[in-house]
């Protein structure tokens, strides 16, 4: 059974917006790792001391992925214990909002609804708080890279390539005066899955759109 607490990597991205108070400053975003498959998740549960085998756990998880969307599609929120609640919300078509009660007669909801989203609301009770600052206490944060996105031409096509430079390397270069191009220039390595933060330094608390 694994007891090691794995660090949550935090990258920093330079803000390039036109907002004067934020432009040129570096804001945090999560260094997102490779997505774990359902089978991998089942194996993780086994590694944490599950009494059931992977075949049973996989079967249960697969059933959840089938039944949960079915219930949410019927307007039934589903709470998974102290994890949180999955529930539906409607996305309105552009310019399709109903202007008056008179227009509601004979209205087809398909004419005004663009899509239905499954959203997730983390548990925020005092005992099982999975929101914002409280959930951060369950994480072990570790600074990792300066991340940037640059446009490069490959086979005549312009593509966006993400670049990473270890923060320790960038700091050492500044201290030595031997500054090489930062990610987004000609230096830095490519790769990494990073996200979570916004241009203004965070995405805040609230619901997660699935």
């Amino acid at each position: 059974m694994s007891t090691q607490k794995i660090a949550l990597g935090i990258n920093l991205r330079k803000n390039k917006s036109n907002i004067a108070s934020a432009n040129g400053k570096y804001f945090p975003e999560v260094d997102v790792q490779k997505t774990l498959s359902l089978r991998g998740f089942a194996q993780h549960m086994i590694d944490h001391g599950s009494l059931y085998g992977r075949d049973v756990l996989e079967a249960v998880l697969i059933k959840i992925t089938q039944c949960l969307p079915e219930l949410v599609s019927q307007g039934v929120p589903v709470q998974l214990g102290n994890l949180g609640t999955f529930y539906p919300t409607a996305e309105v078509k552009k310019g399709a909002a109903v202007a008056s009660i008179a227009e509601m007669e004979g209205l087809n909801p398909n004419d005004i609804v663009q899509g239905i989203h499954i959203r997730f609301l983390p548990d925020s009770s005092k005992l099982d708080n999975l929101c914002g600052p409280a959930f951060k206490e369950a994480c072990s944060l570790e600074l990792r890279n300066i991340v940037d996105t640059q446009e490069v031409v490959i086979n005549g096509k312009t593509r966006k390539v993400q670049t990473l430079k270890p923060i320790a390397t960038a700091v050492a270069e500044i201290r030595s005066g031997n500054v090489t191009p930062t990610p987004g220039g000609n230096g830095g390595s490519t790769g990494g899955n990073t996200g979570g933060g916004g241009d203004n330094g965070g995405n805040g608390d609230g619901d997660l759109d699935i």
Side-chain angles (χ1 to χ4, degrees), residues 99-179:
S100 66
I101 295 178
E103 293 182 7
M104 297 179 189
E105 183 178 1
L107 179 68
N108 186 333
N110 290 295
D111 294 334
I112 59 174
V113 176
Q114 177 68 32
I116 300 295
H117 297 269
I118 299 179
R119 297 188 183 274
F120 173 69
L121 180 64
D123 189 286
S124 59
S125 65
K126 291 183 179 180
L127 292 178
D128 303 295
N129 196 332
L130 298 181
C131 296
F135 185 57
K136 189 190 78 169
E137 298 304 316
C139 305
S140 176
L141 305 186
E142 173 185 81
L143 274 181
R144 290 183 181 167
N145 305 292
I146 295 175
V147 59
D148 200 355
T149 302
Q150 61 176 324
E151 291 187 349
V152 298
V153 178
I154 302 176
N155 297 328
K157 295 183 179 180
T158 301
R159 298 182 179 180
K160 291 184 177 182
V161 177
Q162 185 168 274
T163 59
L164 302 174
K165 175 182 285 189
I167 292 174
T169 299
V171 171
E173 290 174 349
I174 290 294
R175 287 182 175 178
S176 67
N178 183 27
V179 181

Side-chain angles (χ1 to χ4, degrees), residues 10 20 37 45-46 87 153-154 189:
I10 298 296
S37 67
M45 294 169 69
I46 292 172
Y87 66 98
V153 178
I154 302 176
S189 59

